[in-house]
Amino acid sequence: MNKWLIIIWLITAAKILSAQDFKISRIDESEFPTISFQLEISGGSEKSIDGFTLEEYNNPIEYSSTPDDATGIQQSRTYIFLIENSYYFHKNKIFPELITSIKQVNNNINEDDRVNILFFGSKLQPTVKYVSIEPTADTHRLNSMVDCYFKSESDSTYIDNPLYPSIEEAAEYALSLPSQNSIKFLIVIARGLNLCNTLTFSPNFMESMRKSNLYINVVMFKTETPNAKRELADLCESSGGSFVTFEQGQLEQTLMQLGEKNSKTPPKITNHCYKISFKTAQNGTNNFVKARFYGAETVVEFSNPNKTGIFGRHPSTAFAGIMFAVLAVVLIIYAIVRNKVIKKIDDATKLKMREIQIQNKRLKREIEKYRKHPVSVSQSFDDFNSAENLVAGGQQTPKLICANDGENTSYDLNKLVMSIGRADDNDIVIHNRTVSSHHATLSFEGGVFYISDNDSTNGIFVNDIKITKSKVNNDDIIRIGAVFAKLKY
C-alpha cells in the first residue's frame, strides 16, 4: 500500500515540475469563436512545441502556432558583487583601490542595470553580509554603502574565511532575485590564500550553476594555491563566466574589462513564446479547453463576448457587485442606528450637565452663606486685606513652625495662598537640599488650611501619610522633604 502511495506521489510531483516548463497568458477572445493565447515554453526546457496539445470535450482539437519570442528578450543585467572583507586587503591597502573600482563600475552601468553588494570573511561577520536588501541602480546610495561598509573588521589570526560556502550562499541569493528580463552576474573578489578549511563546493553545485541563468566570475588576488584556482576556474567555466587574477594597482582595470565583457554576454536562457489559435465548438458564457505539454496539464478559460444576462459575461464580477451592494446597505443601516445611539447619549449628557449646573448654583449659594458666617475673615474674599488676621476676632495670626537642622523658624500665614520651597521667590523659603525649588502650596479655603504637593521630589507627608492635597489641622505634623513643620492657630 505504501509503495503505491509513493508511486502516485512521484507521478503527481513529476507533473507539477513539468508544468513549470510552460505557461499560458494573454488570452484573446475578441474574435470568438476563434480563441488565441500566448504559450511560453521555459528556456530551461529542451522540449519543443511538438509536445503541446489541446483538448475540448476530451477530444484533441487542431490549432495553429506562430513564433512570438518578443517577450523573451533579455533587457537588463543584475550584478552581485561578493567581496571578501580581508585583513590582507586592508593591510596591503587594496581596499582603497577596491572602493574606487566599485564606484567606477557603478558609474558606468546602464540605466536599466542593477547592482548589489555582499560581504563575507570578517571575524565579526564570518558569513555573507547583505549590504543592500534589493538590487538598486542608485549610484549615490551604492557609493555611500561602499564607504560605510568597507571597514577593517578582520585580523591576521582569522584565516578560516568561508569562501566556498559564501559563494554558494551568494549564488542562491542571486537566483532568488526576480529574473524577468534580466541576466545575472555574480562577481567574487577575494584574496584566495588559505581561505577555508573546506576547499570544495557542495555536491552538484557546479552542475546546478551550469544549468542556471547565472554567470559566475572570480577576481582573485595573485595567489599561491593552484588547487583553489583550478576549482574556481572550473566553476567559472561551467557557468560561462571568467576567472581572472590581479595585482595591486590592477583591480580597477580588471573590473572594467570584466564589465565590458559582461555587457556583451548574451543571455544563457531565452523562453520561447508562441501565439496559439484555435476554433472552439463551445458557445457558453464560460468555456475552457485543456492544454497539455509533455504530460503536464492546465486549463485555458475563455468567455463568449456575445453572451449577456443578469450576470453578464463575468458572473464573479456580478457576484462581487451584489456583495458590495449588500455591504453598502449594511453600512447605511449601521450608520443610522449609530446616529440614534449617539443622539441618545448626547441627550443624556445634556441632561446630566443641566443637573450639574443646578448643583453648582446650589453650591455657590451655600458658599455665599458660609462667607457671611461670623468666623470668616471678611465679608468677601475679594476684599481681603493681607494685614488682617485669618481668624476672626484678631486673637492670633496663624503660623507655620519649621524645624530645619535643629533650628525652629516661625512664619506668619498672612495670605490666602502661600508658596513653600527652597527658591527665594517663595512666600516661605526653607533652605534645605531635600526641599524642592517650589515644593508645596499652603492655602486657606473656607476657614480651613490645605497643603498641596507641587510634584516635588521628596513629597509631602501629613502625620506620616504621603498626600497630594490634604486638610491640615492645628498641631498636625507636616514633613516637607526632611523638614518637619507644625501649624499653629
Side-chain angles (χ1 to χ4, degrees):
M1 182 65 181
N2 292 335
K3 181 176 70 175
W4 285 109
L5 289 175
I6 294 173
I7 293 174
I8 293 173
W9 181 85
L10 291 174
I11 293 174
T12 305
K15 284 189 175 183
I16 294 173
L17 293 174
S18 180
Q20 297 175 355
D21 290 341
F22 79 105
K23 183 174 66 174
I24 303 296
S25 61
R26 295 165 57 182
I27 300 174
D28 184 5
E29 53 200 23
S30 60
E31 297 182 6
F32 189 90
T34 299
I35 306 297
S36 62
F37 58 85
Q38 185 184 68
L39 169 66
E40 183 177 346
I41 300 177
S42 172
S45 172
E46 298 176 356
K47 302 169 184 176
S48 67
I49 185 65
D50 297 335
F52 183 76
T53 60
L54 288 177
E55 290 184 4
E56 189 172 42
Y57 299 128
N58 295 324
N59 296 317
I61 59 175
E62 295 183 356
Y63 65 87
S64 62
S65 62
T66 305
D68 181 18
D69 282 340
T71 58
I73 298 175
Q74 304 288 351
Q75 297 179 347
S76 65
R77 286 167 169 76
T78 299
Y79 299 93
I80 300 98
F81 287 92
L82 176 63
I83 301 171
E84 179 192 357
N85 196 1
S86 168
Y87 167 80
Y88 190 85
F89 279 1
H90 287 285
K91 178 181 178 182
N92 290 276
K93 300 181 179 179
I94 296 175
F95 258 94
E97 180 184 358
L98 178 59
I99 294 173
T100 304
S101 303
I102 294 295
K103 289 184 178 180
Q104 187 64 31
V105 172
N106 292 341
N107 294 333
N108 290 338
I109 64 174
N110 295 327
E111 182 178 354
D112 294 329
D113 292 342
R114 296 292 181 267
V115 176
N116 204 346
I117 302 176
L118 313 177
F119 280 96
F120 79 100
S122 71
K123 188 170 184 179
L124 300 179
Q125 294 287 345
T127 58
V128 172
K129 178 179 182 180
Y130 296 82
V131 176
S132 55
I133 302 302
E134 294 295 339
T136 178
D138 187 341
T139 302
H140 177 73
R141 176 184 167 198
L142 284 171
N143 291 343
S144 298
M145 288 192 297
V146 168
D147 291 332
C148 177
Y149 286 96
F150 284 7
K151 297 177 180 178
S152 177
E153 296 178 345
S154 300
D155 59 35
S156 58
T157 62
Y158 191 73
I159 61 174
D160 189 22
N161 291 340
L163 173 63
Y164 286 62
S166 296
I167 291 178
E168 293 186 20
E169 185 177 350
E172 181 181 355
Y173 168 76
L175 292 176
S176 70
L177 297 175
S179 58
Q180 185 177 7
N181 295 333
S182 177
I183 310 174
K184 298 174 183 177
F185 298 94
L186 175 60
I187 303 171
V188 183
I189 303 176
R191 179 193 176 194
L193 179 61
N194 296 328
L195 283 171
C196 186
N197 292 333
T198 306
L199 292 176
T200 183
F201 292 105
S202 59
N204 303 323
F205 176 69
M206 289 189 176
E207 181 65 22
S208 63
M209 288 300 100
R210 183 180 293 108
K211 294 181 179 180
S212 67
N213 187 18
L214 177 66
Y215 295 89
I216 298 181
N217 302 274
V218 176
V219 182
M220 182 169 287
F221 192 69
K222 187 176 181 181
T223 176
E224 301 174 2
T225 54
N227 292 333
K229 289 174 60 177
R230 279 195 297 270
E231 186 164 0
L232 292 172
D234 291 342
L235 172 64
C236 295
E237 183 179 358
S238 66
S239 70
S242 302
F243 177 85
V244 295
T245 60
F246 72 95
E247 294 184 357
Q248 188 170 0
Q250 298 178 349
L251 181 58
E252 182 174 350
Q253 179 182 358
T254 301
L255 289 180
M256 294 302 294
Q257 291 175 351
L258 186 60
E260 183 177 356
K261 178 183 177 181
N262 289 339
S263 66
K264 298 178 181 179
T265 301
K268 292 165 62 175
I269 298 175
T270 301
N271 294 345
H272 301 289
C273 298
Y274 298 87
K275 180 180 179 181
I276 306 296
S277 299
F278 67 95
K279 192 170 184 178
T280 180
Q282 303 175 75
N283 195 31
T285 302
N286 298 301
N287 314 287
F288 70 92
V289 296
K290 292 181 180 179
R292 298 180 184 273
F293 185 66
Y294 288 98
E297 181 180 300
T298 188
V299 174
V300 181
E301 297 182 353
F302 55 92
S303 303
N304 184 348
N306 299 318
K307 288 287 184 179
T308 58
I310 186 171
F311 289 104
R313 290 179 52 212
H314 305 286
S316 59
T317 304
F319 178 76
I322 292 175
M323 293 301 297
F324 178 79
V326 171
L327 178 61
V329 171
V330 171
L331 291 176
I332 291 173
I333 294 174
Y334 168 77
I336 293 174
V337 173
R338 180 176 178 273
N339 288 337
K340 288 183 178 180
V341 172
I342 292 175
K343 187 176 183 303
K344 288 183 178 179
I345 294 174
D346 289 342
D347 293 342
T349 303
K350 290 178 181 179
L351 180 61
K352 193 65 178 178
M353 291 296 295
R354 179 60 180 167
E355 292 177 356
I356 293 174
Q357 291 175 355
I358 294 173
Q359 291 178 359
N360 286 340
K361 289 182 179 179
R362 292 175 179 173
L363 181 60
K364 287 181 179 180
R365 288 197 295 267
E366 292 296 326
I367 292 174
E368 289 300 324
K369 291 180 181 179
Y370 184 79
R371 285 180 174 178
K372 295 177 181 179
H373 194 276
V375 178
S376 64
V377 178
S378 62
Q379 296 298 319
S380 173
F381 276 49
D382 297 331
D383 298 330
F384 177 76
N385 186 347
S386 61
E388 297 180 7
N389 292 331
L390 290 176
V391 178
Q395 297 297 323
Q396 62 182 26
T397 300
K399 298 181 183 295
L400 182 69
I401 302 173
C402 298
N404 183 12
D405 292 333
E407 295 182 5
N408 293 337
T409 305
S410 177
Y411 301 91
D412 291 338
L413 305 180
N414 51 15
K415 292 183 179 180
L416 290 176
V417 179
M418 300 185 72
S419 61
I420 303 172
R422 195 175 67 251
D424 294 333
D425 58 348
N426 289 283
D427 298 307
I428 298 175
V429 180
I430 302 176
H431 295 289
N432 190 292
R433 60 185 181 86
T434 65
V435 177
S436 299
S437 298
H438 298 85
H439 198 111
T441 300
L442 188 64
S443 58
F444 186 78
E445 302 173 14
V448 180
F449 283 98
Y450 289 87
I451 190 165
S452 304
D453 186 7
N454 296 336
D455 293 328
S456 63
T457 302
N458 296 313
I460 296 291
F461 294 80
V462 176
N463 296 326
D464 289 332
I465 298 174
K466 188 174 183 179
I467 56 91
T468 302
K469 182 175 180 178
S470 173
K471 175 182 175 182
V472 183
N473 297 316
N474 196 18
D475 290 331
D476 280 347
I477 304 299
I478 305 169
R479 179 155 57 91
I480 307 170
V483 176
F484 288 87
K486 183 182 291 189
L487 197 65
K488 287 288 188 178
Y489 63 88

